[in-house]
């Protein structure tokens, strides 16, 4: 009962608060709400009774009214604050006044000021926008009154060539072409404007300040419709260019090559000549046709409509490519572009622009196929390929993504900087690339790059701009992973450094014995001079060899051309020399060759060149020839010089020459042709009874036919299995046990018996069959080695000769690798012998091929060492294991100090390079003993065994 008055007071306050019509509450002297109306609770989203009003205020807004709310107010007061309703902040104004019943506390009415503030801001923004519109309007706007111009916007003044200040206060008549035009204009406009109606004229001519004329569209309306005398607002739009454009558009419509037509309500209302020609209509024949007539079927027409209508109905343009039909029913691919005539009124009609794209479509299809083909090529490339622009990867092939470890498509848009491990390397690459591109060069360097997983690898980059005139534009890059190559090169470098260290150490050890070695050094220098001499001279006779002859012949041809004289080339073959050599031995044959060389040199002039090509073949070069009679005399002197017998060891040896002669320039213009023709003439001399000379003629077919017959038989020999392998052992000098078997090729020609390689290997080399035959030799040797192993015999390495042409064949490495894989042979049981001359013909390329062979585990040796010209720099770098001293240095080893010095020098050189040495052509125990004393490891020759067939070679092998 004591609280009954308070309860009635609260009910009374609550009723009064509900009548306020705005959020309100009553608080007691402690600032707690004792009553609140529904508007306030709705605003705050929570009941307030018994809660402190300040709990709903932002802390920053408490200071002004905190004391008032807690102790009450003596008079009405107001302040701004921010209410917190859940997560929302509400700007309000609080109005507090004392409670009607007196006592502490007050009534608080809350006004939401958000809309008022927003309305004020919108009003200010509207005023600013209206001013901006007037100042920036593309049309001229003028306010006039009583025939005077009161104010205008900048565009209006600009249109007439005045400033805004200059136009203010001027009479309106000054803008018209004449006072009469102004009067007529006023008569037309005044009735409408006086009645509060708008006035409009599509075109009206006015005059600018400089007297030039301007066409304008005019719209006007009284400022106050009820009081027309308050002034008029004029809007003028410059249509001078539009009038000109209208004329031009009409000309374009008439002459345009593309099709233009207008439709309304889906009917054709107008079109140009281009449309008529494109669709095959005559004159106005197409007017009134429905749009459906331009499409091949209802489905196409409906599909276009479904896409076009949503756009055109809201005033947006529409564009597509679609098949359309001509009057005769033929179909064409067209590009269709549509605009509504009036975006504000789409129903006013539509403009269609149609371009025949049939040829473009075919071209695009062809281009698409080409792009697909190019992409397939790029994706199949073994190198990474990337297109870069502005430092970002635009696109790349699959190999590029694989190199860097990205999934397909992940590298598109990737910064090139992300492919470098740090900013320093990125900066260096950019500088080098910029320098190369500006110099017009391809940028080619090796950098360390980073994969997606941050692992590093070495890459070779090669890039060039698409357009050399735009070096900072788009560029294309090739990327190859060279990590393995660099590691291999580093291993080679380390090995070289270690070898050099060992050589230096050995040199230091030998420094103390320098005095004792002086004599040996002299011998070695003489041997080196001898080796150099042998590069251009025949070892047996001392005559120029093929290399020197070719050089002299080349020079003689140039001299003959300058002096307008001729030269003769005489190809000499000793008749039946093989019989003497085979029956009396090589020593007798070699003596005979030396004597023949001496007689030939004495029979010709000092200015002539006598050369030995090999075997019993000599060549005489006779420059400065005037007639054939001179050639006859020289040939007859040669025959006469060789006619007398050659005494040797109690025998009289008889030999006769067959001489073939060709003349430059009559019979050939180069060294190869002259040599071939002289050789052909020599064969003709042999066929003519020997011991005679013959001049080359084009009708010499007998020798060529024989050569052709031999070559023809060779072409089928491999398929007919006419080739056989013979084997000659290479012996360990220390143990006289078989160390290696050299594989030798023989041809068992039907009806001709066993043919030695000297007679057919040159032909195989010449026609290229040596590549396939050589591959057969390697495969057959590997198969035989595996067969011996399966028989329980101790395997020994097989040494296979590689001809120069086979060695330089690009498919050699793949062929050898395939044979090793298919036969299952241990590569260490294969040894390739390559002649010294073949190795030195292509230095760097040879080094690369040898490196690949060595990497497979196959041993390498240099055959006929000493007969060619070796670069010691290359020899040091070649991965060879063995040198084979040519038999020419071995046969006179017992009696020739020079040959002994050369052999010792080669053995010493081999030892310093850690190479094994094989002596070829060992035939006597004396030769064997000298080689043993000088540290030669291996020997080969008739002293041990002649070349034997497979069965005999098998008997030389020991059980495993």
């Amino acid at each position: 009962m004591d609280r009954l008055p308070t309860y009635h007071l609260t009910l009374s306050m609550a009723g009064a608060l509900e009548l306020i019509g705005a959020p309100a509450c009553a608080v007691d002297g402690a600032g707690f709400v004792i009553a609140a109306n529904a508007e306030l609770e709705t605003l705050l989203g929570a009941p307030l009774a018994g809660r402190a009003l300040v709990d709903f205020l932002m802390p920053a807004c408490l200071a002004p009214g905190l004391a008032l709310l807690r102790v009450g107010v003596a008079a009405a007061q107001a302040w701004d604050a921010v209410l917190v309703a859940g997560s929302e902040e509400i700007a309000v104004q609080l109005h507090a006044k004392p409670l009607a019943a007196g006592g502490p506390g007050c009534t608080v009415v809350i006004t939401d000021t958000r809309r008022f503030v927003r309305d004020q801001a919108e009003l200010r923004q509207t005023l600013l926008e209206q001013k901006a519109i007037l100042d920036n309007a593309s049309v001229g706007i003028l306010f006039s009154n009583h025939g005077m111009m009161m104010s205008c916007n900048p565009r209006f003044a600009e249109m007439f060539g005045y400033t805004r200040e200059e136009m203010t206060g001027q009479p309106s008549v000054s803008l018209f072409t004449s006072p009469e035009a102004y009067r007529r204009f006023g008569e037309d406009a005044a009735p409408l404007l006086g009645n509060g109606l708008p006035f409009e004229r599509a075109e009206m001519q006015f005059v600018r300040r400089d007297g030039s004329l301007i066409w304008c569209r005019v719209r006007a309306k009284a400022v106050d419709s009820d009081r027309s005398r308050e002034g008029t607002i004029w809007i003028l739009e410059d249509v001078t260019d539009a009038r000109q454009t209208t004329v031009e558009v009409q000309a374009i419509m008439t002459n345009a090559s593309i099709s233009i037509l207008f439709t309304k309500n889906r009917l054709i209302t107008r079109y140009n000549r281009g449309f008529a020609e494109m669709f095959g209509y005559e004159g106005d024949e197409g007017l009134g046709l429905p749009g459906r007539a331009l499409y091949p079927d209802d489905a196409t027409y409906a599909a276009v409509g479904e896409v076009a209508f949503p756009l055109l109905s809201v005033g947006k343009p529409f564009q597509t490519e679609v098949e359309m039909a001509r009057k005769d029913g033929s179909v064409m691919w067209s590009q269709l572009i549509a605009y509504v005539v009036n975006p504000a009124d789409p129903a006013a009609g539509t403009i269609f622009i149609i371009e025949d794209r049939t040829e473009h479509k075919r071209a695009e299809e062809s281009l698409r196929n080409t792009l697909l083909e190019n992409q397939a090529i790029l994706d199949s490339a073994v190198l990474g390929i990337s297109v870069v622009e502005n430092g970002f990867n635009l696109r790349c092939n699959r190999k590029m993504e694989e190199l860097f470890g990205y999934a397909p498509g992940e590298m598109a848009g990737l910064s090139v900087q992300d492919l470098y491990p740090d900013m320093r390397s990125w900066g260096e690459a950019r500088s080098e690339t910029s320098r190369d591109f500006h110099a017009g060069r391809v940028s080619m360097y090796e950098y360390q790059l980073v994969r997606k997983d941050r692992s590093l690898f070495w890459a070779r980059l090669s890039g060039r701009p698409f357009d050399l005139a735009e070096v900072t534009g788009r560029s294309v890059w090739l990327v190859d992973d060279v990590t393995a190559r660099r590691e291999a090169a580093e291993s080679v470098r380390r090995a070289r450094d270690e070898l050099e260290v060992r050589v230096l150490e050995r040199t230091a050890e030998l420094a103390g014995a320098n005095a004792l070695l002086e004599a040996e050094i002299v011998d070695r220098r003489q041997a080196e001079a001898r080796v150099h001499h042998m590069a251009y001279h025949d070892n047996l006779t001392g005559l120029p060899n093929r290399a020197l002859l070719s050089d002299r012949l080349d020079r003689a041809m140039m001299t003959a051309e300058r002096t307008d004289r001729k030269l003769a080339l005489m190809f000499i073959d000793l008749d039946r020399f093989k019989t003497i050599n085979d029956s009396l031995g090589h020593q007798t044959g070699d003596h005979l060759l030396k004597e023949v060389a001496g007689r030939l040199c004495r029979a010709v002039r000092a200015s002539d060149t006598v050369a030995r090509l090999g075997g019993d073949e000599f060549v005489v070069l006779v420059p400065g020839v005037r007639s054939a009679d001179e050639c006859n005399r020289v040939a007859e002197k040669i025959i006469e010089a060789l006619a007398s017998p050659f005494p040797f060891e109690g025998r009289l040896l008889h030999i006769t020459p067959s001489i073939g002669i060709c003349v430059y320039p009559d019979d050939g213009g180069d060294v190869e042709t002259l040599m071939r023709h002289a050789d052909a003439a020599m064969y003709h001399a042999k066929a003519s009874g020997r011991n005679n000379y013959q001049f080359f003629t084009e009708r010499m077919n007998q020798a060529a036919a024989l050569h052709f017959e031999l070559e023809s038989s060779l072409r089928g020999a491999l398929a007919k299995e006419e080739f056989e392998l013979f084997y000659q052992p290479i012996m360990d000098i220390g143990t006289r046990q078989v160390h290696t078997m050299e594989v030798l090729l023989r041809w068992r020609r039907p009806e001709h018996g066993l043919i030695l390689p000297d007679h057919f290997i040159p032909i195989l080399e010449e026609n290229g069959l040596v590549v396939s035959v050589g591959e057969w030799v390697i495969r057959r040797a590997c198969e035989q080695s595996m067969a011996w192993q399966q028989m329980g015999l101790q395997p020994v390495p097989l040494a296979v000769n590689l001809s120069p042409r086979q060695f330089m064949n690009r498919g050699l490495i793949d062929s050898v690798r395939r044979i090793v894989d298919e036969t299952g042979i241990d590569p260490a049981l294969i040894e390739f012998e390559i002649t010294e001359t073949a190795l030195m013909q292509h230095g760097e390329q040879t080094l690369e091929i040898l490196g690949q062979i060595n990497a497979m585990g196959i041993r390498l040796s240099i055959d006929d060492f000493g007969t060619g010209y070796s670069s010691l720099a290359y020899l040091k770098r070649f991965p060879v294991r063995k040198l084979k001293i040519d038999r020419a240095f071995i046969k006179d080893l017992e009696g020739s100090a020079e040959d002994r010095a050369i052999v010792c020098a080669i053995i010493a050189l081999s030892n310093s390079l850690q190479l094994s040495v094989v002596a070829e052509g060992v035939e006597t125990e004396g030769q064997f003993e000298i080689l043993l004393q000088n540290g030669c490891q291996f020997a080969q020759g008739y002293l041990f065994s002649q070349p034997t067939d497979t069965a005999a070679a098998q008997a030389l092998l020991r059980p495993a």
Side-chain angles (χ1 to χ4, degrees), residues 73-293:
V73 295
Q77 296 190 37
W79 70 94
D80 292 328
V82 177
L83 287 179
V84 179
S87 61
E88 184 180 8
E89 297 177 358
I90 305 171
V92 297
Q93 189 175 57
L94 302 180
H95 301 270
K97 60 181 179 179
L99 291 172
C106 60
T107 302
V108 181
V109 178
I110 300 171
T111 303
D112 186 346
T113 61
R114 288 178 297 178
R115 182 165 184 177
F116 174 76
V117 172
R118 185 166 59 249
D119 291 345
Q120 289 293 320
E122 289 178 353
L123 178 59
R124 285 193 299 272
Q125 182 64 29
T126 300
L127 292 175
L128 291 174
E129 291 174 354
Q130 288 179 351
K131 184 177 184 306
I133 290 172
L134 288 174
D135 289 345
N136 297 284
S138 61
V139 296
I141 303 173
L142 170 70
F143 170 63
S144 68
N145 197 7
H146 301 298
M148 301 295 291
M149 293 182 285
M150 307 307 294
S151 65
C152 66
N153 71 341
R155 175 58 181 159
F156 191 91
E158 178 189 352
M159 286 169 56
F160 287 91
Y162 295 93
T163 64
R164 295 174 66 182
E165 293 75 10
E166 288 174 337
M167 297 205 75
T168 302
Q170 284 201 36
S172 300
V173 68
S174 63
L175 303 181
F176 288 82
T177 56
S178 65
E180 179 61 23
Y182 176 67
R183 184 186 62 77
R184 289 197 303 271
F185 181 79
E187 291 175 353
D188 294 339
L192 295 174
L193 296 175
N195 291 318
L197 299 175
F199 169 76
E200 185 171 351
R201 177 167 290 179
E203 292 180 347
M204 182 70 190
Q205 200 171 38
F206 295 91
V207 62
R208 294 188 180 95
R209 181 178 186 176
D210 59 6
S212 60
L213 299 178
I214 178 174
W215 286 93
C216 296
R217 178 181 293 117
V218 181
R219 285 168 287 180
K221 192 173 182 183
V223 174
D224 189 339
S225 300
D226 297 330
R227 294 183 293 175
S228 60
R229 299 186 63 82
E230 292 296 322
T232 306
I233 297 295
W234 300 86
I235 299 176
L236 273 66
E237 181 181 357
D238 186 350
V239 296
T240 305
D241 293 339
R243 292 182 84 253
Q244 180 63 28
T245 300
T246 301
V247 175
E248 293 171 354
V249 167
Q250 185 61 40
I252 292 172
M253 279 287 294
T254 302
N255 300 296
S257 60
I258 60 175
S259 174
I260 303 173
L261 72 152
F262 297 85
T263 66
K264 188 173 183 181
N265 297 327
R266 300 190 178 184
L267 297 178
I268 299 175
T269 59
R270 184 181 175 189
Y271 54 78
N272 69 341
R273 185 169 59 194
F275 172 83
E277 293 174 352
M278 184 181 296
F279 284 86
Y281 291 100
E282 298 291 339
D284 295 337
E285 182 183 5
L287 295 179
L289 288 175
R292 166 64 184 84

Side-chain angles (χ1 to χ4, degrees), residues 366-383:
S366 175
L367 177 60
R368 188 180 70 85
N369 292 335
T370 301
L371 291 174
L372 290 175
E373 293 170 1
N374 290 341
Q375 188 62 44
I377 292 171
L378 288 177
D379 288 340
S380 301
V382 297
L383 299 178

